[in-house]
Amino acid sequence: LARQGYGVVVFEREKELGGLLRYGIGPHRLPREILDHELRTIERMGVEFRTGQSVDLIKGLETLKEEFDAILLATGSWNDRKLGAAGEDLAGVEGCLSFLGRFYRGEISELKENVAVIGDGNAAFDLARTLTRLGARVTIVSWFPESLIPADPEEVKAAREEGIQIVDRTQITAFKGEGGRL
């Protein structure tokens, strides 16, 4: 839109720009200097960024209509997929995006625990590699045989090189805990 001469304003609810690219993908996969360079390029095109601003999609749209001629909603999907397993709501069970968001906001700086990452896509491997950098001992649990894991083969290889264990051909059916905790 900016290239076509329109004035563009992007609202970002986080304190820093980048959305899921910054808060959901590790710098070992997407170096921050590359992300920041791309964002500066967009800004030089005349795009205005307003960070730390959530937009209330019910009440806020009326206010935005007063300031803008058109509104384009391009919201990210920050919701973790659930497994549908019993006990998923226990404290100690957390989704990938939720955890990575907290980490990249600076809310977590260390985690010296045994951690199981349930999944077999690139996001699961990204989370596992991030957890390892925090000091955790990580095991990835995949229901696929290792040769069929859908994550990029480079991700699987890098995880192995970083000492991450992979338990394949295993499906999680429930989480067990006491007192509401895993």
Side-chain angles (χ1 to χ4, degrees):
L1 290 172
R3 283 184 180 147
Q4 298 298 318
Y6 293 96
V8 179
V9 177
V10 174
F11 291 87
E12 169 64 64
R13 83 169 167 185
E14 298 293 341
K15 134 178 120 167
E16 291 186 68
L17 292 173
L20 283 173
L21 296 175
R22 181 174 309 278
Y23 294 97
I25 297 175
H28 54 278
R29 286 187 46 160
L30 176 59
R32 294 304 182 244
E33 53 274 3
I34 292 173
L35 176 60
D36 291 338
H37 171 78
E38 294 296 323
L39 290 166
R40 283 191 304 273
T41 299
I42 294 168
E43 195 169 34
R44 282 194 301 272
M45 292 170 58
V47 174
E48 176 187 344
F49 293 107
R50 296 182 188 175
T51 59
Q53 293 191 26
S54 258
V55 175
D56 180 328
L57 295 180
I58 297 170
K59 298 175 187 170
L61 287 180
E62 290 304 317
T63 304
L64 290 175
K65 284 180 185 176
E66 295 171 11
E67 185 177 353
F68 299 100
D69 297 322
I71 300 167
L72 173 65
L73 297 177
T75 60
S77 177
W78 287 67
N79 296 321
D80 286 298
R81 286 181 31 199
K82 298 287 188 179
L83 294 173
E88 215 167 353
D89 57 341
L90 292 170
V93 178
E94 184 172 8
C96 177
L97 292 175
S98 172
F99 181 88
L100 288 173
R102 292 189 315 119
F103 171 67
Y104 292 122
R105 282 184 207 99
E107 298 169 19
I108 301 167
S109 60
E110 182 178 83
L111 188 67
K112 302 218 180 265
E113 298 179 17
N114 294 320
V115 179
V117 173
I118 302 161
D120 29 48
N122 287 331
F125 279 83
D126 192 35
L127 174 60
R129 294 177 68 198
T130 299
L131 287 162
T132 298
R133 287 166 174 75
L134 286 170
R137 293 161 304 284
V138 182
T139 301
I140 291 180
V141 180
S142 170
W143 71 342
F144 289 99
E146 188 166 339
S147 63
L148 296 178
I149 286 176
D152 294 334
E154 302 85 39
E155 286 293 318
V156 177
K157 181 179 182 240
R160 282 273 190 215
E161 289 171 355
E162 292 180 28
I164 295 168
Q165 301 298 309
I166 298 173
V167 175
D168 64 349
R169 303 168 199 229
T170 303
Q171 185 174 7
I172 302 302
T173 58
F175 297 93
K176 294 189 178 193
E178 292 180 16
R181 181 149 187 82
L182 185 63

